[in-house]
Amino acid sequence: MTTSPDGRRPRSTRQKGPVMLRRGEPDPQNQGTTTDQRLLDRRGGSDFLHTDPWRVMRITSEFVEGFGLLAELPRAVSVFGSARTPRDHPHYAAGVELGAALVRAGYAVITGGGPGAMEAANRGASEAGGMSVGLGIELPFEQELNEWVDVGISFRYFFVRKTMFVKYAQAFVILPGGFGTLDELFEALTLVQTRKVTRFPVILLGTEYWSGLIDWIRDTMVAEGTVSPGDLDLIIVTDDVAEAVAAIRAADEARASGVDGAAGRIPADTGPSDA
């Protein structure tokens, strides 16, 4: 082994396909074999199913399944809200009304496929004769797709599911909800603010429920300079389902005419972001 010009001995190097490894020695069990040989000859347990490289294949398969299922979906709107909303609650009634109104406006409805507000939006869409889609998630407790889902798929990974919510939606409508709903809300706002997606409406349905959050964004975040005043214009807050649907349709028309989505009137924020 030769030394480098500065006197250091070069470190041992080995390749695993396209990956270069230095430090340490190869696994003695693999010395003298090739990857193909180990694939074809090796027998043993199923522990490999739970390794990170194998998970990459599962993640890939989830993307393929999701894209395949939704690729021919018509124009759609993703609706989020609490799984805990009772069927006799006004928020549930608003979800049913919203789902039906979106279908009448020519949109499919995508939800997380669970109970509560998600079921309400799926129910409204299904009862109105439209496409009702549920994108479920594997959870420690059992949660099946609700009975009003016409086309559904359950994901293992939240980030794959989130991609489907964004990729196939023309807008987000957020019904009152908890941590999961807030997660989807701020994910959408971050993508719109940073222009990772074409700007599209992010609508909060339920002014009484959401007013405290909007006040905090304006009075604390804007006041402290952690977001720009114009960022509040990325959010539409209303109690009126018809107003929400009108905003979505207006955004579609603006996008078709070459304007940057529903928020095309908002100047691009060139300041740093927290993304």
Side-chain angles (χ1 to χ4, degrees), residues 247-271:
I248 295 167
R249 297 184 73 171
D252 265 349
E253 293 171 4
R255 196 178 297 112
S257 65
V259 179
D260 187 16
R265 65 187 184 279
I266 304 169
D269 186 352
T270 57

Side-chain angles (χ1 to χ4, degrees), residues 156-248:
R156 290 186 178 94
Y157 301 100
F158 269 112
F159 56 87
V160 179
R161 182 183 186 230
K162 284 182 177 181
T163 300
M164 304 303 157
F165 280 134
V166 174
K167 180 173 175 60
Y168 295 101
Q170 272 65 51
F172 281 6
V173 181
I174 318 291
L175 292 159
F179 289 155
T181 303
L182 290 173
D183 177 49
E184 298 293 353
L185 166 61
F186 285 108
E187 174 101 7
L189 289 174
T190 301
L191 291 171
V192 173
Q193 181 203 48
T194 58
R195 294 182 175 241
K196 287 295 186 180
V197 296
T198 302
R199 292 189 171 199
F200 60 90
V202 178
I203 302 168
L204 302 182
L205 195 62
T207 56
E208 182 179 357
Y209 186 87
W210 294 113
S211 61
L213 175 63
I214 298 300
D215 290 344
W216 179 75
I217 293 173
R218 180 182 57 249
D219 298 339
T220 300
M221 298 183 77
V222 173
E224 292 287 339
T226 53
V227 298
S228 300
D231 288 337
L232 274 171
D233 294 331
L234 298 175
I235 309 170
I236 300 169
V237 188
T238 183
D239 290 313
D240 188 345
V241 167
E243 181 182 351
V245 175
I248 295 167

